[in-house]
Amino acid sequence: MTDRTAPRGIFISFEGGEGTGKSTQAKLLRERLAGAGVSALVTREPGGSSGAERIRALLLDPDHPRFGARAEALLFYAARADHLETLIGPALETGRWVICDRFSDSTRAYQGALGRLESAVVENLEALVVGENGPDLTILLDLPAEIGLARAAARRGDAGVDGFEREAPAFHEALRRAYLDLAAADPGRIAVVDASGDPDAVANAVWAVVTARLASRLAVSA
Ligand code: Z5A
């Protein structure tokens, strides 16, 4: 049942390059929050809602080369609009917290910085689609690209790779730099966490950030 008296939930996104542990940490954070009495929904981008998952299939089709940066940005934001309207927004309205594996900073890093799409294009789409409804807190999992790529390759095994996974190691190292630049430009929202430890050590570091930055909301929600 919808709780219309609850304060709006908190929106947290995880960002970082491939294999930095975003999906792993999103689930571990949900468990920590549950232990603190907070119900959180874990979702992902591209995708999350049924319409956005259909756009994800287009974007990550292993049999199709990557779209250009402009077309990709439009598709990622089309998926994001559906995700926000049908899943994230309604969950936050009922007081549930939302943890999202990637969000707009991925477009800023991949299509903006790496795809060389003018930042004005991304920020206009951001204003149109997201506006004031973006994450309250973003956790950037930082790791040398070669470690993330090795983790992702080990998990993938013999499965096929999509166009993003085919990018050269230098692309992934430049991506790391782009993310760190985004964090430096918006330290009030983006917290950088060293993702090189084992999953529990990284989860402890993530929890330290969440409790420090959202202490008042945790006390209210628990
Ligand atoms: N993209 C974009 O270009 N623009 C956008 O706006 C958006 C996305 C939203 C989505 O790919 C692609 O879309 C992505 C960016 C682009 N391209 N790439 N590359 P995806 O959703 O299929 O994949 P991903 O987002 O890159 O996530 P990932 O590669 O699946 O990695 P992860 O979620 O960061 O990591 P993980 O799945 O938690 O862990 C990977 C493996 O490492 C796994 O076996 C774990 O058990 C292991 N692991 C996790 N943590 C650790 C630690 N701490 N130590 C050791 N091993 C670990």
Side-chain angles (χ1 to χ4, degrees):
M1 186 192 289
T2 303
D3 180 355
R4 297 194 185 282
T5 60
R8 186 178 170 81
I10 296 284
F11 182 10
I12 300 173
S13 61
F14 278 93
E15 292 282 358
E18 207 191 335
T20 48
K22 301 174 295 300
S23 315
T24 303
Q25 292 304 322
K27 290 181 198 130
L28 290 173
L29 177 57
R30 175 176 55 192
E31 287 171 21
R32 294 268 183 136
L33 285 169
V38 176
S39 165
L41 168 79
V42 172
T43 185
R44 69 170 181 185
E45 288 212 344
S49 58
S50 91
E53 287 291 333
R54 297 185 75 159
I55 299 173
R56 177 186 175 93
L58 267 179
L59 279 160
L60 303 185
D61 181 350
D63 298 325
H64 191 280
R66 282 187 60 181
F67 292 92
R70 193 171 295 263
E72 279 186 353
L74 290 166
L75 287 166
F76 280 115
Y77 270 99
R80 190 160 296 137
D82 187 72
H83 193 199
L84 269 174
E85 282 165 22
T86 66
L87 189 78
I88 295 176
L92 292 171
E93 285 302 321
T94 66
R96 240 180 139 192
W97 289 32
V98 172
I99 303 168
C100 194
D101 180 349
R102 295 193 181 280
F103 199 69
S104 299
D105 295 310
S106 288
T107 318
R108 292 188 175 104
Y110 282 82
Q111 285 66 49
L114 274 291
R116 306 232 169 106
L117 189 59
E118 307 90 299
S119 61
V121 173
V122 178
E123 294 314 325
N124 282 337
L125 289 169
E126 177 73 9
L128 179 72
V129 170
V130 179
E132 299 300 309
N133 298 315
D136 301 290
L137 171 65
T138 295
I139 294 169
L140 171 57
L141 297 178
D142 180 54
L143 194 63
E146 66 200 53
I147 301 178
L149 289 172
R151 285 183 189 172
R155 183 205 45 199
R156 194 165 51 238
D158 294 332
V161 292
D162 61 46
F164 292 91
E165 293 162 338
R166 268 192 287 268
E167 297 285 0
F171 172 95
H172 292 279
E173 203 47 64
L175 187 67
R176 180 188 189 195
R177 190 71 263 149
Y179 267 124
L180 290 171
D181 289 346
L182 287 173
D186 194 358
R189 176 177 61 86
I190 307 180
V192 182
V193 167
D194 177 358
S196 61
D198 64 38
D200 285 341
V202 180
N204 287 340
V206 168
W207 188 239
V209 169
V210 170
T211 51
R213 295 207 180 195
L214 299 170
S216 61
R217 286 305 308 271
L218 273 171
V220 168
S221 303

